[in-house]
């Protein structure tokens, strides 16, 4: 401080004020050496002064005392006023802190709701994706089964066609064999008829060239030949 007046002014301004929500009290510090030296100096001066000056000093001290008491009462009133102001300031600070805490809680709840909504949306999308994947797999499986059934049907039809073709070929072969046998029988019959015709011709020729008076051929031999030919 530059002077004692500045120090006293600072003490008055800082006495019974609020700092960080607490009331503080500021007083002037007095050391024992200063107080003893001041008392000794004042005693020496009192011894040197005449009685008139002592009376004036006593009167001045009384006035200073009254002034100090008045200032003390004023400071007390100011302290009461500052105490009320400090209480109001403390209440405002508490309200502000409560509002800040409430705002922080609201922000935290809003963040939690937003996080839960995002989590719910993520789960819903995951469930929809799983459902779409399951439906896609079911469609693929159904398509694969349809293709397999179509292949089996084609194989059955092919086997049935081959079977029918084999049966047709077998019937055709049997028909050809029957026709061949029939042709062979006809050919054999023609051959038999031709041989029979030749034999008859030979018999007629032999009978026409036979001498008169010769006995006829035995009947049993001719019958035997006919039996052998038939």
């Amino acid at each position: 401080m530059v002077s004692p007046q500045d120090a006293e002014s600072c003490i008055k301004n800082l006495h019974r004020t609020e700092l960080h929500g607490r009331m503080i009290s500021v007083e002037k510090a007095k050391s024992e050496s200063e107080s003893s030296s001041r008392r000794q100096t004042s005693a020496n001066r009192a011894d040197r002064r005449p009685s008139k000056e002592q009376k004036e000093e006593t009167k001045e001290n009384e006035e200073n005392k009254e002034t100090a008491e008045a200032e003390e009462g004023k400071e007390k009133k100011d302290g009461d006023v500052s105490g009320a102001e400090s209480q109001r300031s403390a209440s405002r600070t508490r309200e502000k802190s409560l509002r800040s805490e409430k705002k922080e809680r609201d922000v935290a709840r809003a963040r939690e709701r937003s996080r839960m909504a995002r989590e719910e949306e993520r789960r819903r999308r995951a469930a929809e994706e799983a459902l779409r994947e399951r439906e896609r797999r079911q469609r693929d499986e159904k398509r694969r089964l349809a293709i397999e059934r179509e292949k089996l049907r084609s194989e059955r039809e092919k086997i049935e066609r081959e079977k029918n073709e084999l049966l047709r070929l077998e019937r055709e072969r049997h028909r050809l064999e029957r026709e061949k046998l029939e042709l062979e029988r006809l050919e054999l019959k023609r051959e038999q008829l031709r041989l029979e015709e030749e034999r008859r011709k030979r018999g007629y020729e032999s009978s026409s060239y036979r001498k008169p008076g010769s006995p006829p051929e035995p009947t049993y031999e001719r019958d035997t030949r006919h039996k052998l030919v038939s």
Side-chain angles (χ1 to χ4, degrees):
M1 300 296 174
V2 179
S3 62
Q5 288 79 10
D6 294 337
E8 290 178 358
S9 176
C10 290
I11 290 169
K12 288 180 181 180
N13 291 328
L14 295 174
H15 183 59
R16 296 184 67 81
T17 57
E18 184 181 359
L19 180 64
H20 301 295
R22 299 179 65 183
M23 187 68 66
I24 61 173
S25 178
V26 180
E27 294 180 355
K28 185 177 180 181
K30 295 180 181 180
S31 61
E32 293 181 358
S33 60
E34 289 180 356
S35 61
S36 62
S37 62
R38 286 179 181 177
R39 283 196 299 271
Q40 188 176 1
T41 304
S42 61
N44 293 330
R45 288 179 181 176
D47 292 337
R48 293 175 185 175
R49 291 175 185 172
S51 60
K52 187 178 180 180
E53 291 180 357
Q54 289 179 358
K55 290 180 181 179
E56 290 179 357
E57 186 176 356
T58 303
K59 187 177 180 180
E60 186 177 354
N61 289 331
E62 290 177 356
E63 290 177 356
N64 291 332
K65 187 176 180 181
E66 291 176 357
T67 304
E69 289 177 356
E71 289 179 355
E72 186 176 355
K74 186 177 180 181
E75 287 178 358
K76 188 174 182 181
K77 291 180 181 179
D78 293 339
D80 295 336
V81 173
S82 63
E85 290 179 355
S86 65
Q87 289 179 359
R88 286 194 295 273
S89 177
S91 64
R92 285 195 297 271
T93 304
R94 283 195 299 273
E95 290 177 358
K96 189 182 292 184
S97 63
L98 289 174
R99 285 195 297 271
S100 178
E101 290 177 359
K102 184 179 179 182
K103 186 176 180 181
E104 289 178 358
R105 286 195 298 271
D106 293 339
V107 170
R109 282 196 293 269
R111 288 177 180 174
E112 184 66 19
R113 285 195 296 270
S114 178
R115 187 187 66 79
M116 291 177 67
R118 288 195 300 271
E119 185 67 20
E120 184 67 23
E121 182 68 18
R122 186 186 65 79
R123 286 196 295 268
R124 185 181 63 80
R125 289 181 179 177
E128 290 178 355
E129 185 67 23
L131 180 61
R132 285 195 295 270
E133 182 67 19
R134 187 164 58 251
E135 290 177 353
R136 185 184 64 79
R137 289 180 180 177
Q138 289 177 356
R139 287 194 299 271
D140 293 341
E141 184 68 18
K142 188 181 293 184
R143 191 180 302 111
R144 187 183 65 80
L145 291 174
I147 292 171
E148 291 292 332
R149 283 194 294 270
E150 185 65 24
K151 286 182 179 179
L152 289 174
R153 188 180 63 80
S154 300
E155 290 292 332
R156 289 195 192 97
E157 290 179 354
K158 183 179 179 181
I159 292 170
E160 190 68 24
R161 286 194 300 270
E162 290 178 354
K163 183 179 178 181
N164 294 331
E165 184 68 18
L166 289 173
L167 291 174
R168 188 185 65 79
L169 292 174
E170 186 70 18
R171 286 194 297 269
E172 186 70 19
R173 186 176 65 81
H174 290 164
R175 186 181 64 80
L176 292 174
E177 287 180 355
R178 285 195 302 271
E179 290 178 355
K180 184 178 179 181
L181 290 173
E182 187 68 23
L183 290 173
E184 288 178 355
R185 281 196 297 271
L186 291 173
E187 187 68 24
L188 182 60
K189 191 173 183 179
R190 288 195 196 96
E191 186 68 21
Q192 288 176 355
L193 292 173
R194 187 177 60 79
L195 291 173
E196 185 70 23
E197 187 68 25
E198 288 180 356
R199 285 174 183 166
R200 280 198 301 271
K201 287 179 180 180
R202 288 177 183 176
Y204 291 148
E205 289 177 355
S206 62
S207 62
S208 61
Y209 288 107
R210 192 172 51 234
K211 293 179 180 181
S214 61
E217 294 179 358
T219 307
Y220 68 90
E221 291 180 359
R222 189 168 57 251
D223 295 336
T224 304
R225 284 199 303 271
H226 283 295
K227 287 180 181 180
L228 289 173
V229 171
S230 62

